[in-house]
């Protein structure tokens, strides 16, 4: 009947993600939703998104699906040989959400960026085919996070000097591929990083975490690949010996001819990247001045400088930095461009971080297509 047709539900673009995913903000990618960079800046100089990406526009990377967890019965449970008395998983040290909120809180600004962000450019720029989610550059977002330092909770749980690894596990469904059950998403963190700057976050941009981003509590591991920032964290093993999971042995390491036999070290620090707040293939008017906007970031430290090329990489000029560069967050920048002649152009942005790492012309191939940090060619048409 006609009326039924009218109320027919539009299928959700990504099953397993709870929040709406409007097409003007997101590109669906399997179980994930990529942020559209052109959505950070409305057309014709309209309102821009600030340094932090609003929660409703933040990218989502789910191995399976977003679980709905009751915050009242939820517990963070710590156990293992790295804690005093070596509590077992069956009799762990438990913290409720109220317990965590009663501990001193900390607020940080930090990026979450998928290790596979930019993966599609291995194929489109380097002719190398890699499996996995074909992200462009939108597998990233910056937010303000509030929570309690993991260090605080580890100490309260009886951390000993012999602890070496911490293994937080998610409460989302087990990750199953081709009939192999890898168990819940979990990944070891060396105790040094765990004690340094890792947060158990319960707020994102000033509001309680939403289901898709890890409610009620997630890890935020500044500067590291996104998979370290375990969402929906529940059990945390703390051990006096190295811990492993498929996420540090099979996944999230570099394999291939340019890497050690058996694979490189588990991925940690993110590489330097840059992106324009512009759609690929955007059309710009000839004979007038345009202000190009973008953002650059690095897992290793603040951005030191950004250069922009509008002639396919032949000449470069400095972009104007619009933020005070900070570690673990992006720096916004702009550059003016007045293209006189219609035609196709390639824009490029190239950042250097304070430790001195500059985006290269090519990224080193690895079988899974992680850490694509090379300069990205951004096609536009001038008409
Ligand atoms: N429990 C759990 N934690 C997880 C994941 C997951 O699938 N399950 N995905 C990880 C990956 S690969 C990334 S990039 C980030 C994405 O965080 P976001 O969805 O809040 O953007 O969460 C990480 N934490
Ligand atoms: Mo990721």
């Amino acid at each position: 009947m006609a009326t039924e047709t009218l109320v027919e539900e539009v299928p959700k673009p990504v099953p397993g993600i709870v929040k709406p995913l409007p097409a003007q903000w997101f590109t669906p990618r399997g179980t994930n939703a990529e942020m559209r960079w052109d959505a950070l800046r409305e057309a014709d100089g309209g309102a821009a998104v600030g340094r932090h990406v609003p929660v409703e526009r933040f990218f989502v990377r789910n191995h399976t699906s977003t679980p709905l967890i009751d915050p009242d019965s939820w517990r963070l449970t710590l156990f293992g040989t790295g804690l005093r008395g070596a509590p077992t998983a069956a009799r762990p040290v438990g913290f409720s959400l109220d317990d965590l909120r009663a501990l001193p809180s900390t607020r940080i600004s930090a990026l979450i960026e998928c290790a596979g962000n930019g993966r599609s450019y291995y194929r489109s720029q380097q002719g190398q085919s890699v499996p996995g989610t074909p992200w462009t550059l939108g597998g990233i977002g910056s937010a303000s996070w509030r929570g309690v330092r993991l260090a605080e909770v580890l100490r309260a749980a009886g951390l000993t000097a012999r602890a070496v690894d911490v293994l937080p596990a998610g409460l989302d469904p087990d990750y199953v591929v081709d009939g192999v059950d890898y168990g819940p998403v979990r990944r070891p963190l060396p105790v040094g990083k765990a004690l340094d700057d890792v947060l158990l976050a319960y707020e994102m941009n000033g509001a309680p975490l939403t289901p898709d981003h890890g409610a009620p509590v997630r890890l935020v591991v500044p500067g590291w690949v996104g998979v370290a920032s375990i969402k929906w964290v529940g059990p945390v093993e703390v051990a006096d010996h190295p811990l492993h999971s498929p996420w540090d042995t099979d996944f999230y390491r570099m394999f291939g001819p340019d890497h050690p036999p058996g694979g490189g070290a588990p991925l940690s620090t993110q590489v330097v990247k840059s992106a324009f707040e512009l759609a690929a293939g955007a059309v710009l008017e000839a004979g007038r001045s345009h202000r190009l906007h973008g953002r650059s970031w690095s897992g290793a430290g603040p951005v030191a400088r950004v250069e922009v090329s509008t002639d396919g990489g032949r000449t470069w000029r400095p972009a104007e930095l619009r933020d005070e560069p900070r570690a673990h967050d992006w720096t916004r920048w702009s550059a003016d461009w007045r293209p006189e002649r219609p035609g196709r152009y390639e824009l490029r942005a190239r950042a250097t971080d304070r430790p001195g790492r500059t985006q290269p012309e090519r990224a080193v191939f690895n079988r899974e297509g992680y850490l694509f940090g090379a300069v990205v060619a951004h096609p536009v048409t001038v008409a």
Side-chain angles (χ1 to χ4, degrees), residues 131-161:
T133 307
W135 303 100
T136 56
L137 284 170
I140 185 167
S142 165
S144 156
W145 308 93
R146 194 167 82 95
V148 52
R149 298 180 79 104
L150 179 57
E152 191 87 40
V153 174
L154 289 172
R155 291 203 182 98
L159 185 73
T160 71

Side-chain angles (χ1 to χ4, degrees), residues 164-176:
V164 297
D165 270 350
V166 176
L167 181 62
L171 295 170
D172 39 340
D174 284 3
Y175 183 55
V176 181

